[in-house]
Amino acid sequence: MKTTETHAGACEPEYFMRDGKLTRRMFIKGVGAITVASALGFGVENAGASEALADEAPAAAGEKAVHAVCTVNCTSRCHLRGTVRDGKLVRVEPGDMPGRPGYANACLRSMSYIQRLQDENARVMYPMRRTGERGSGEFERITWDEAIDEIAEKLNTVLAKDPQAASFYSFTGDLGKLSWEAPTRYAATVGATTWDIEGIMGDHGASMGMTMVFGTHRGAHDSRDYLNSKLLIVWGRNVADTHTSELRDYVAARKNGAKVIVIDPRQCSTAAMADEWIPIKPQTDPALALGMMNWIIGNDLHAKDKLVEESVAPYLIREDDGAYLRMVDGAVVATATGASKADEGSIGTAPAAQGEAGADAGTFVIWDELTGAAVPAPDAAAIKGGSVKPALSGSFTVDGVACRTAFDHLVDACAPYTLERTGEICGIDPDVVERLSREYIEAQPAGIRMGQGMQRVYHSYAPFRTVATLAMVAGYIGVPGGGASHAGGTATNKPVAGYTGPVYGFADWSDTGKKANLVPSSKVYSAAVSHDPVPIDFLWIANSNFINMSPDSNRIINEVIPAIGFIVTVDPWWTWTAKYSDIVLPACTYWEHWDLIDRSPWAMFNQPAIEPMGESKSDVEIMSLLAKKTGVEQYWDKTDEEWIRQFVGTDHPAWDDFDWDRDVVEQGIYGRSDALYDSAIVYADGAGYKTDTGKFEFYTESLVAFDEEVPTWQPPCEDPREGELAAKYPLVYIQYHDRLNVHTQHILNPALEVVQDEPLLQMNPVDAEARGIAHGDVVRVLNDRGDMKIRVFVTEGIIPGTVATQSGWTPDYFIEGCYQNLTHHTICDAEEAYSMTNSAFYDVLVEVEKA
């Protein structure tokens, strides 16, 4: 799609129409300038946990102080304090965090967001019906009654034929409890299909990798713990731009003497403030971790006791089929590899161990050096107590079955990754690989913070799985200042003796009568086109700019969308996806409706700070209207506020100090009575693993069929090293997250024009000169799937052989095309076998030419 401008002035896509007429976007008058009190995420000091937030300045005359929690998908969940004047939000600042002094935070995105959300020309103001072809942008205004009646008529026809042919797709645009879950909850009430979204969005590789080794898809040291670190490796994570609430702790750790190293293909903002930036070729992070493990083990520096006590390193593996050896009542029992899980998990999860973690741990086997016999695998305490001594390495025969330890399998996997081979694969000098390995193992302790960027590749579980295994080999799992962490810390609360009830009253919300049909999102294209595994005759899209944030947009537009009978999009914004919908409904933003975020140890609340723009409604209101027309109104018998009151209305001791007027209405946040605000160390003393073995599990027997039972590095799907594709398209193309936006949200808030006002292609001077390209030139980026025209930014801050743009920019701002024209949706058999394919957004080859 071609536009005539590539800067902020292009923020009016001409295909957007209201009342059948083209309309220009004009910044709504009366919205004040944002207050950039916390541009780098540093905020004011906080008050006590259960007291009123006295540190916040009182509102001026004629102004009203309001509160909200930012519910976009950066995972920070910042508490915000807003100021309303004459019915409009005019200022946003960091809101205090009870019990956590110095943690108040607000980024540029959240502070400038109020400009766009109050721009009536950017918002969907009324229910709209498509009048032209899909994609034409021709819509007419209709009433809510007309919209709901038409949608219900289409939906009831589909439900009568096959409820699972109706799909409800809720993404991450608003992660409040009500907004995020209302569409999929409705789907459950009518027995329709919902989608496990992590795969298509490219975040599932991290979940799979973490689940393989830890048994849970999230787990992290609080960033304050890095004050205990001597070395901090920030691996594929740009916190300075994307997770500003953490940045202060990285700065404090560095001031405290920790060396900060950033491993990234780009010299991102975090790399700019670090002690060292190690450029790495995209798609090669597991190879570097394997090379570091090989050097550490080869120099006999690995944490032998830790590996024996807390991991599956001494567990015996059968030589005949690669499965764990298991014994029952002292006898070896037959095993089958790759047994399917009984439950694929809930939205956003990878399959985890079923039942209690380690429930079958007694069936696994180690070789006891004290008795010279195979015995059931003991827990860490027994090993530390000296009653048993598992062999870390060796080959044994048990009841006629040849076995060797899982550690030996790991050593074999690491062995090919010499310093030279590792350096060649990763584009890093072998001397740097050696120095990094030495500094990491000698730091005692060293922490690793992993970012989502390195897992948007084929075999996407490998980066997190392998880097976490490196941390275990070094002995840094579960120790202060160590860890291999993902996401933002681990919530802790005081145990309440004798109380077994739930903290939140979610029982009625969970009561849906029927159950939704949850399908991996890796199958959404095949479902629409081939009806495999389910048809999509009706599609409800909420909290999502589906076309812009999913791979291979040309395929979506040309194959997926035409195959779907009726599409409804519910969104605050006129998005690319809305343009291809049949009905578009106006949704509230988080400043306009009630909602809840459980960010333990805090409960954080949204409430209407301003009147909804136009005829916007909350997702609960919208689903309640539809429920009345589809026979399930009994499940939608509360208002948004009534749902929230019920959620926090339990007798759990967490609410002992709770006061609705103070903590919800006045402050928008509640620090739980049972809260612990100290920094938590996950997996301390070898406890907390949710794997089947109850240990750190680097050996995954379900991947034996793919020769990936231990961490490995697999060449990328689109390999730049060899083959016809590499000759035709020799550059690796990645899309990074930046300070300007979270996905397509915040593009382009007027105040952010000073940062950047158009998408740019980062390119190394070596690659630019070879193509006759100069800084600022307009270039064409292409492959067999599509192309885009964009201005180039020539910089040494990106590794040669790689080009990059920021993720999230919409076609409105490109000279031609869009970055998603270049990406692909390729099914990975190993990922499907374990859970589902993760979109390999950074596993893409392109060529760049001067336009």
Side-chain angles (χ1 to χ4, degrees), residues 6 150 193 242 308 361 386 646 769:
T6 60
E150 184 171 336
T193 293
T242 64
V308 166
Q646 185 180 76
E769 290 169 11

Side-chain angles (χ1 to χ4, degrees), residues 219-363:
H221 287 226
D222 190 296
S223 54
R224 290 172 294 174
D225 179 54
Y226 296 135
L227 286 169
N228 297 313
S229 304
K230 301 295 180 58
L231 172 68
L232 173 59
I233 298 177
V234 186
W235 206 318
R237 187 172 180 85
N238 181 18
V239 294
D241 286 337
T242 64
H243 208 151
T244 58
S245 59
E246 286 188 14
L247 180 60
R248 73 200 72 190
D249 295 322
Y250 292 58
V251 173
R254 188 167 180 266
K255 288 182 178 179
N256 198 46
K259 181 177 182 179
V260 178
I261 297 175
V262 172
I263 300 173
D264 199 294
R266 300 173 49 251
Q267 189 181 27
C268 61
S269 298
T270 308
M273 55 76 65
D275 294 285
E276 182 178 8
W277 168 46
I278 298 179
I280 186 173
K281 291 180 179 179
Q283 314 152 334
T284 67
D285 303 276
L288 178 56
L290 288 163
M292 293 173 68
M293 280 190 279
N294 189 45
W295 188 89
I296 290 169
I297 294 170
N299 285 277
D300 197 32
L301 297 173
H302 51 297
K304 302 178 188 65
D305 290 345
K306 186 90 168 177
L307 286 163
V308 166
E309 293 165 1
E310 298 181 16
S311 83
V312 297
Y315 282 38
L316 298 183
I317 307 299
R318 299 173 64 115
E319 293 280 66
D320 54 2
D321 65 1
Y324 283 100
L325 184 71
R326 289 177 173 83
M327 297 178 68
V328 175
D329 296 330
V332 171
V333 295
T335 60
T337 60
S340 61
K341 301 293 184 181
D343 182 1
E344 292 188 357
S346 60
I347 289 178
T349 66
Q354 301 304 305
E356 293 298 320
D360 297 324
T363 66

Side-chain angles (χ1 to χ4, degrees), residues 155 158-168 183-194 512-519 534-535 630 632 635-636:
L155 178 57
V158 174
L159 293 176
K161 181 180 178 181
D162 179 6
Q164 294 187 0
S167 279
F168 288 78
T184 52
R185 179 179 186 268
Y186 173 85
T189 64
V190 296
T193 293
T194 60
T512 55
K514 298 179 181 179
K515 185 177 180 181
N517 174 42
L518 181 64
V519 179
V534 293
T630 52
V632 290
Y635 300 107
W636 299 89

Side-chain angles (χ1 to χ4, degrees), residues 562-587:
I564 300 172
F566 194 77
I567 301 174
V568 178
T569 289
V570 182
D571 206 290
W573 318 106
W574 276 108
T575 64
W576 194 8
T577 304
K579 175 187 173 187
Y580 281 85
S581 303
D582 300 297
I583 296 285
V584 181
L585 301 178

